[in-house]
Amino acid sequence: MLLARLGLRGGEVSALAARRALGHKLLLLGRLLQRFVVFAESSGATFITTEIALAWAMQPAEAQPAQWTNGLAMVRRFARYCSAIDPRTVVPPPDLLPHRYRRPSSPYIYRDEAIIRLIDAAKRLPSTVGLRPQTYATLFGLYAATGMRCNEPLRLDRDDTDLVDSVLTVRDTKFGKSRYVPLHPSTHRPSRSMRPAVTVMPESAERHEISSE
């Protein structure tokens, strides 16, 4: 039993390596899987059981049931992988937590006035060195002006911003592709004001500001 020698942590490393070798990034999944393994090991488990999977998936207690379902689904996939190398592994039944997230039938559209209030509120956020208010105000403005996916502005670098031709380069997005996103002229001033703030920010202060979020 290879997994019995490797332990759950070894199985985690092996499972993630196998998926990433196929081109999957698994950033969020990797963190969730690590949390499950830490939880299982702290509970004294050396292999996956339905009880340990369910106990982890239903945390925190105040989470939405759909979140519990997603957590259990992740453990089930990991358990299927582990079951091939450790026959003690129990793959939890798929119908233990049958809740499903359902998207609203129509999206909520923010009015211009609401967006302005949100950006103004972001500008008043407390900050040690002044980076947080500018960061969030610029971020919300980019969401409103470009329609980018939630995580895409977070990965932008200075070289991805072309204020001369009014275009952003969004790299390595969904399905590993990159694309250009046109910028409305109203975004130029916030983007220009953000650049000097980041450029002159002492590295230690910037790390402290971000880590305090």
Side-chain angles (χ1 to χ4, degrees):
M1 292 186 295
L2 178 61
L3 190 60
R5 296 196 300 270
L6 294 177
L8 286 174
R9 193 170 301 276
E12 168 206 342
V13 172
S14 176
L16 291 175
R19 293 286 303 280
R20 285 168 176 158
L22 298 175
H24 301 283
K25 294 182 180 179
L26 307 179
L27 299 179
L28 176 59
L29 180 62
R31 292 194 295 269
L32 291 176
L33 188 54
Q34 183 181 45
R35 292 174 190 170
F36 167 71
V37 169
V38 169
F39 175 84
E41 290 181 340
S42 66
S43 301
T46 57
F47 57 93
I48 300 173
T49 64
T50 297
E51 292 74 20
I52 200 71
L54 200 58
W56 178 81
M58 296 184 69
Q59 293 185 346
E62 64 273 12
Q64 294 292 325
Q67 182 176 331
W68 296 344
T69 301
N70 292 338
L72 184 61
M74 185 275 297
V75 177
R76 290 190 71 253
R77 290 191 293 270
F78 180 47
R80 285 200 299 267
Y81 176 86
C82 293
S83 65
I85 48 182
D86 187 349
R88 300 175 302 170
T89 302
V90 178
V91 180
D95 56 351
L96 284 178
L97 297 174
H99 304 281
R100 292 290 183 271
Y101 172 75
R102 290 179 173 81
R103 293 180 181 273
S105 56
S106 58
Y108 180 83
I109 306 298
Y110 282 85
R111 296 181 180 273
D112 291 347
E113 297 80 6
I115 295 173
I116 292 172
R117 289 199 302 270
L118 179 62
I119 294 175
D120 286 342
K123 292 177 180 178
R124 297 192 297 272
L125 286 171
S127 176
T128 305
V129 292
L131 182 60
R132 182 184 298 168
Q134 291 193 60
T135 298
Y136 280 96
T138 302
L139 180 64
F140 294 147
L142 280 175
Y143 284 143
T146 65
M148 285 192 288
R149 299 183 182 96
C150 290
N151 66 325
E152 289 177 343
L154 307 180
R155 295 187 286 110
L156 289 174
D157 203 349
R158 294 185 185 91
D159 294 337
D160 299 328
T161 307
D162 184 351
L163 298 182
V164 176
D165 294 326
S166 298
V167 66
L168 291 175
T169 302
V170 183
R171 305 181 189 278
D172 199 17
T173 64
K174 196 172 184 180
F175 306 117
K177 298 180 179 180
S178 298
R179 73 180 193 280
Y180 296 115
V181 176
L183 282 175
H184 190 272
S186 63
T187 64
H188 286 202
R189 185 175 178 181
S191 298
R192 290 182 191 276
S193 65
M194 185 65 185
R195 278 192 169 193
V198 175
T199 302
V200 303
M201 190 71 63
E203 184 180 357
S204 59
E206 186 175 350
R207 284 201 304 267
H208 172 75
E209 180 80 358
I210 295 173
S211 63
S212 64
E213 298 295 337

